[in-house]
Amino acid sequence: MPILVMKFGGTSVANLDRIARVAKRVGVEVANGYDVIVIVSAMSGKTNELVGWVNETSKLYDAREYDAVVSSGENVTAGLMALRLQEMGIPARSWQGWQVPLLTSSAHGSARINEIPTDNINAKFGEGMRVAVVAGFQGISPEGRITTLGRGGSDTTAVAFAAAFGAERCDIYTDVDGVYTTDPRIESKARKLDKISFEEMLELASLGAKVLQTRSVELAMRYNVKLRVLSSFEDEMNDQAGTLVCAEDEIVENNVVAGVAYSRDEAKMTLVSVADRPGIAALIFGALSEAGVLVDMIVQNISEEGRTDMTFSCPTDQVARAEKAMEQAKSDGVLNFAEIIADTDVAKVSVVGIGMRSHTGVAAKMFQCLSQEGINIQVITTSEIKISVLIDRKYMELAVQALHDAFELDKAA
Amino acid sequence: MPILVMKFGGTSVANLDRIARVAKRVGVEVANGYDVIVIVSAMSGKTNELVGWVNETSKLYDAREYDAVVSSGENVTAGLMALRLQEMGIPARSWQGWQVPLLTSSAHGSARINEIPTDNINAKFGEGMRVAVVAGFQGISPEGRITTLGRGGSDTTAVAFAAAFGAERCDIYTDVDGVYTTDPRIESKARKLDKISFEEMLELASLGAKVLQTRSVELAMRYNVKLRVLSSFEDEMNDQAGTLVCAEDEIVENNVVAGVAYSRDEAKMTLVSVADRPGIAALIFGALSEAGVLVDMIVQNISEEGRTDMTFSCPTDQVARAEKAMEQAKSDGVLNFAEIIADTDVAKVSVVGIGMRSHTGVAAKMFQCLSQEGINIQVITTSEIKISVLIDRKYMELAVQALHDAFELDKAA
């Protein structure tokens, strides 16, 4: 029988009523003729409670024990979901990560999936089991310790299972009904997309649209797993619901720009008056990389008298770390600069679309639109399918709305 | 290094403060030179919450899923305890049942321990680990599913570890400070025993003294594991604290009677007018056994005209099951009786002591004492070291107090 993977997040399994509700949805797919692999998160709030206990017990905790504690929430949901399905007359059983086994690296707290042997679960499907309920977010290390995959790891678990089992599709049930052209809380005319390409979803996910975890989209793209994002809170859960994330060639018509993303979680840092000589950028960004700072945008200003200003952006919560790394390099004598200025009062706004590859003028249109609104652009970066600008934070909402309008995202292609 | 097993029940690890408190006690034993195996229960209330969810999800639940869900509480405590110990500078790690592995039968919900291989944990002790924190109550079946050992299973886990690792002693920390001559809530003169024999503890445990699980005492007796019961709530936790449960020959002086036990959880059932012929008892108790009824006391009344009354006792919550089994046997034509009378308004009171083996007159003294108080004895059973009587429930407290007095249990031998 064809295999379907269905993933339910924490709010979708928040209590016994919600579990019963989504179990019904699983039952529909079983009746449709699928063997189903269900990936479950912990009941909402449970993981945070466990994380709180770990932090309170030990400030610099042993990540192996963290994983052993924090993974327990998913096990509870998996067992309850299997029981609920059995109660409905559907042959089901639960699997914890180590039982599958979902083999991961030893990087506790953010382990990477190495392999998912399919023998155990396929053998049970062969014996008439119709649903394998798998505890998401967790696996087992080569040392036999429990690992977790990091925040949003259940999405990644789901996609990895879909790839390993050659599933027809991977349905991610969540508390929103799909992927939108932008955040509907900022732009009321935001439109749900029926389809979006992996590449676009990846840019949107990493730019702050919190629908899917970035790693899960990467994985889906690599193994060409059809992903569908849909709401478990909708009464109608038909085949057309949600947004399908798929390969570009499965999308017949699409707008040049698929969506507008934003992030408040970006700070602008400027190193004033550094020597403008070969190797200086490698030196600065090498030091930042070693300190674990995730640098996003980089701009080097025009040089004057052999000195220049270097501007870059990084996540807001890494500003202190970045400053420390730069001051250290200065006191070590490997780098010289007049001062370091951190500005956290900025936001990043981006337009994303694979249509940019074949359409020119997107950047010009974006800059013109922002200019008309009187919004000054501080830093620009582009990729093949994305243009991002750093602007004053107070203009963020205005910029998102103006760009959504300018690219007519409220209208389907 | 010598090995010590320390077990902490649910109230002893009820929250992070309590975990920190008992971790200190573990630290003292590590400083004393022991390698310690700590067995932990779930935080109090957690297991009941999980059991409640299972029952609400599925009335006739799959015991394999029940075990997968219910075992998660212990995993949380084990990880937190390991973290707390690490925070104190003590090399520690947690072990879930399947990681040890604690190998059990497939009898989910009440699995029996088959084997505890010591290699994994001993290897870590060899590498300098000082404390292995093990999630109690759980193991792994030959099929690779998680099993639980039934209520009080963490006591059994602790004793099994002590036996497997040849531990010097197994300390059971609980919310009472030892084993008493009777329940102090009923008899204020009840005295804490410094030592008690396995056989006596076994009788007291199975008679309703809820200090230790019966199976754990059986196991301790079979492998001659020294068990100590003591309170984790006392400030002073010295070597003389609590009650030592040990082999008879280690107790120099002891009273003829060690204690008085009672149970309200006993019902008296009478089959009126059954044929008094050979094989009738086998027929009745065979049918009850098949129905899973735990028959305790049995009395066959004097026969009149070839018919007799058969009286037996069983746990109160099995009355319906016993009645159904008897009515079934009647309608199947294998058994005939006039009526079946169930009386749940009874209580069982017992005196227990290995001294009975060598002292006569204990029974006579017991019956005389009850007679003096005007308490009618309905059923009597005896073992080598125990005499139990079934009486009207309203006299239970009076009987316990009178017997405690008559055998002078408030005075040490």
Side-chain angles (χ1 to χ4, degrees), chain B residues 226-387:
Chain B
K226 270 191 208 171
L227 261 184
R228 196 166 59 144
V229 177
L230 67 175
S231 168
S232 67
F233 290 80
E234 300 261 301
D235 279 330
E236 290 275 325
M237 294 199 267
N238 60 54
D239 280 355
Q240 300 306 309
T243 298
L244 190 71
V245 189
C246 57
E248 196 180 332
D249 53 20
E250 292 184 52
I251 306 175
V252 182
E253 288 285 351
N254 62 280
N255 291 337
V256 175
V257 168
V260 180
Y262 66 88
S263 168
R264 288 185 190 88
D265 180 37
E266 203 89 9
K268 186 179 75 167
M269 316 240 355
T270 304
L271 283 177
V272 180
S273 187
V274 293
D276 188 8
R277 56 173 167 81
I280 190 77
L283 208 154
I284 293 170
F285 297 106
L288 289 169
S289 164
E290 256 175 53
V293 177
L294 292 165
V295 172
D296 178 24
M297 310 165 115
I298 300 173
V299 175
Q300 185 171 348
N301 295 18
I302 293 159
S303 177
E304 278 175 40
E305 295 171 9
R307 301 201 75 80
T308 183
D309 296 345
M310 191 73 87
T311 299
F312 61 90
S313 72
C314 69
T316 312
D317 62 2
Q318 296 185 351
V319 166
R321 201 187 293 178
E323 284 177 333
K324 199 180 154 199
M326 292 297 93
E327 296 293 354
Q328 185 64 47
K330 190 176 182 179
S331 70
D332 289 351
V334 295
L335 180 67
N336 197 1
F337 56 86
E339 63 172 325
I340 182 163
I341 301 168
D343 181 2
T344 55
D345 208 24
V346 292
K348 183 166 71 170
V349 174
S350 314
V351 297
V352 173
I354 45 174
M356 287 186 204
R357 288 192 192 131
S358 46
H359 286 71
T360 55
V362 174
K365 190 170 184 177
M366 180 179 190
F367 301 154
Q368 191 183 15
C369 163
L370 294 173
S371 159
Q372 274 171 357
E373 302 292 340
I375 300 171
N376 188 40
I377 297 170
Q378 302 182 13
V379 185
I380 300 170
T381 51
T382 63
S383 79
E384 210 186 356
I385 64 163
K386 174 199 77 172
I387 307 166

Side-chain angles (χ1 to χ4, degrees), chain A residues 117-137:
Chain A
T118 56
D119 329 12
N120 289 339
I121 288 178
N122 273 335
K124 290 289 169 189
F125 278 139
E127 291 168 18
M129 177 186 72
R130 298 300 306 281
V131 183
V133 186
V134 178
F137 176 62

Side-chain angles (χ1 to χ4, degrees), chain B residues 2-192:
Chain B
I3 287 181
L4 188 69
V5 173
M6 304 172 78
K7 183 258 169 179
F8 298 100
T11 53
S12 302
V13 292
N15 53 48
L16 299 186
D17 282 347
R18 299 271 336 142
I19 289 173
R21 193 186 156 87
V22 299
K24 269 192 204 163
R25 180 62 197 160
V26 175
V28 169
E29 299 293 9
V30 169
N32 285 343
Y34 287 107
D35 276 345
V36 179
I37 298 173
V38 172
I39 312 291
V40 289
S41 298
M43 290 160 141
S44 56
K46 285 289 161 192
T47 301
N48 286 341
E49 181 183 53
L50 295 169
V51 169
W53 286 344
V54 168
N55 282 318
E56 207 181 314
T57 302
S58 175
K59 274 261 174 298
L60 295 164
Y61 54 74
D62 176 349
R64 294 166 298 191
E65 299 299 345
Y66 171 96
D67 283 355
V69 171
V70 168
S71 60
S72 68
E74 279 72 14
N75 295 343
V76 172
T77 323
L80 293 175
M81 177 71 84
L83 285 169
R84 186 65 224 161
L85 290 164
Q86 288 178 359
E87 193 72 5
M88 292 161 61
I90 299 170
R93 75 157 269 196
S94 70
W95 302 81
Q96 301 189 2
W98 60 272
Q99 289 177 316
V100 173
L102 190 148
L103 306 171
T104 74
S105 70
S106 300
H108 286 273
S110 60
R112 301 200 67 98
I113 299 172
N114 288 334
E115 199 195 338
I116 305 180
T118 56
D119 330 10
N120 288 341
I121 288 179
N122 273 336
K124 290 289 169 188
F125 278 139
E127 291 169 18
M129 177 186 71
R130 297 301 307 280
V131 183
V133 186
V134 178
F137 176 63
Q138 58 177 253
I140 179 170
S141 76
E143 295 79 28
R145 303 292 299 261
I146 293 168
T147 52
T148 65
L149 310 178
R151 281 277 157 183
S154 291
D155 286 349
T156 309
T157 306
V159 174
F161 267 88
F165 284 82
E168 196 169 295
R169 205 174 61 241
C170 178
D171 286 349
I172 307 281
Y173 284 86
T174 177
D175 48 5
V176 297
D177 65 346
V179 181
Y180 278 72
T181 50
T182 196
D183 187 340
R185 288 168 302 182
I186 289 186
E187 170 55 84
S188 61
K189 287 183 286 184
R191 179 174 53 86
K192 183 173 79 67

Side-chain angles (χ1 to χ4, degrees), chain A residues 261-280:
Chain A
Y262 65 88
S263 168
R264 288 185 190 88
D265 181 35
E266 202 90 9
K268 184 179 75 167
M269 315 233 7
T270 304
L271 283 176
V272 179
S273 187
V274 293
D276 189 8
R277 57 175 165 80
I280 191 76

Side-chain angles (χ1 to χ4, degrees), chain A residues 52-363:
Chain A
W53 286 345
V54 168
N55 281 319
E56 207 181 315
T57 302
S58 176
K59 275 259 175 298
L60 295 163
Y61 54 73
D62 177 348
R64 294 165 299 190
E65 299 300 344
Y66 171 96
D67 282 355
V69 170
V70 168
S71 59
S72 68
E74 278 74 13
N75 295 343
V76 172
T77 323
L80 293 174
M81 177 70 83
L83 285 168
R84 185 65 225 162
L85 289 163
Q86 289 178 359
E87 193 72 5
M88 292 162 61
I90 299 170
R93 74 157 271 197
S94 71
W95 302 81
Q96 301 188 1
W98 60 271
Q99 289 177 316
V100 173
L102 189 148
L103 306 171
T104 74
S105 70
S106 299
H108 285 273
S110 59
R112 301 200 69 98
I113 299 172
N114 289 334
E115 198 194 339
I116 305 180
T118 56
D119 329 12
N120 289 339
I121 288 178
N122 273 335
K124 290 289 169 189
F125 278 139
E127 291 168 18
M129 177 186 72
R130 298 300 306 281
V131 183
V133 186
V134 178
F137 176 62
Q138 57 176 257
I140 180 170
S141 75
E143 295 78 29
R145 302 293 298 263
I146 293 167
T147 51
T148 65
L149 310 179
R151 283 278 157 183
S154 290
D155 287 349
T156 309
T157 306
V159 174
F161 267 87
F165 284 81
E168 196 169 297
R169 204 175 59 239
C170 178
D171 286 349
I172 307 280
Y173 285 86
T174 178
D175 49 5
V176 297
D177 65 348
V179 180
Y180 277 73
T181 49
T182 196
D183 188 340
R185 289 170 300 184
I186 288 185
E187 169 56 83
S188 60
K189 285 183 286 182
R191 179 175 54 87
K192 184 172 79 64
L193 295 162
D194 293 331
K195 290 185 176 182
I196 188 169
S197 71
F198 291 127
E199 291 85 348
E200 288 166 330
M201 190 64 230
L202 205 52
E203 290 288 0
L204 290 175
S206 61
L207 290 172
K210 294 187 171 65
V211 183
L212 281 173
Q213 206 215 7
T214 308
R215 273 169 65 196
S216 69
V217 183
E218 281 173 5
L219 210 58
M221 183 162 73
R222 188 173 343 142
Y223 293 101
N224 201 17
V225 171
K226 268 190 210 172
L227 262 184
R228 196 168 57 147
V229 177
L230 67 176
S231 168
S232 67
F233 290 79
E234 300 261 300
D235 281 329
E236 290 276 326
M237 295 199 267
N238 59 52
D239 280 355
Q240 300 308 311
T243 299
L244 190 71
V245 189
C246 57
E248 195 181 331
D249 52 21
E250 293 184 51
I251 306 175
V252 181
E253 287 286 349
N254 60 280
N255 289 337
V256 176
V257 168
V260 179
Y262 65 88
S263 168
R264 288 185 190 88
D265 181 35
E266 202 90 9
K268 184 179 75 167
M269 315 233 7
T270 304
L271 283 176
V272 179
S273 187
V274 293
D276 189 8
R277 57 175 165 80
I280 191 76
L283 208 157
I284 293 172
F285 297 106
L288 289 168
S289 165
E290 256 175 52
V293 177
L294 291 166
V295 172
D296 178 25
M297 308 166 118
I298 299 173
V299 175
Q300 186 172 346
N301 296 17
I302 293 159
S303 178
E304 280 176 39
E305 294 170 13
R307 300 199 76 81
T308 184
D309 296 345
M310 191 75 87
T311 298
F312 61 91
S313 73
C314 71
T316 312
D317 61 2
Q318 295 185 351
V319 165
R321 199 186 294 178
E323 284 177 332
K324 200 178 151 199
M326 291 298 93
E327 295 293 352
Q328 186 64 47
K330 189 176 181 179
S331 69
D332 289 352
V334 294
L335 182 66
N336 199 2
F337 55 86
E339 63 172 326
I340 181 163
I341 301 167
D343 181 1
T344 56
D345 208 26
V346 293
K348 184 166 70 172
V349 175
S350 312
V351 297
V352 173
I354 45 173
M356 287 186 206
R357 286 191 194 132
S358 45
H359 286 72
T360 53
V362 174

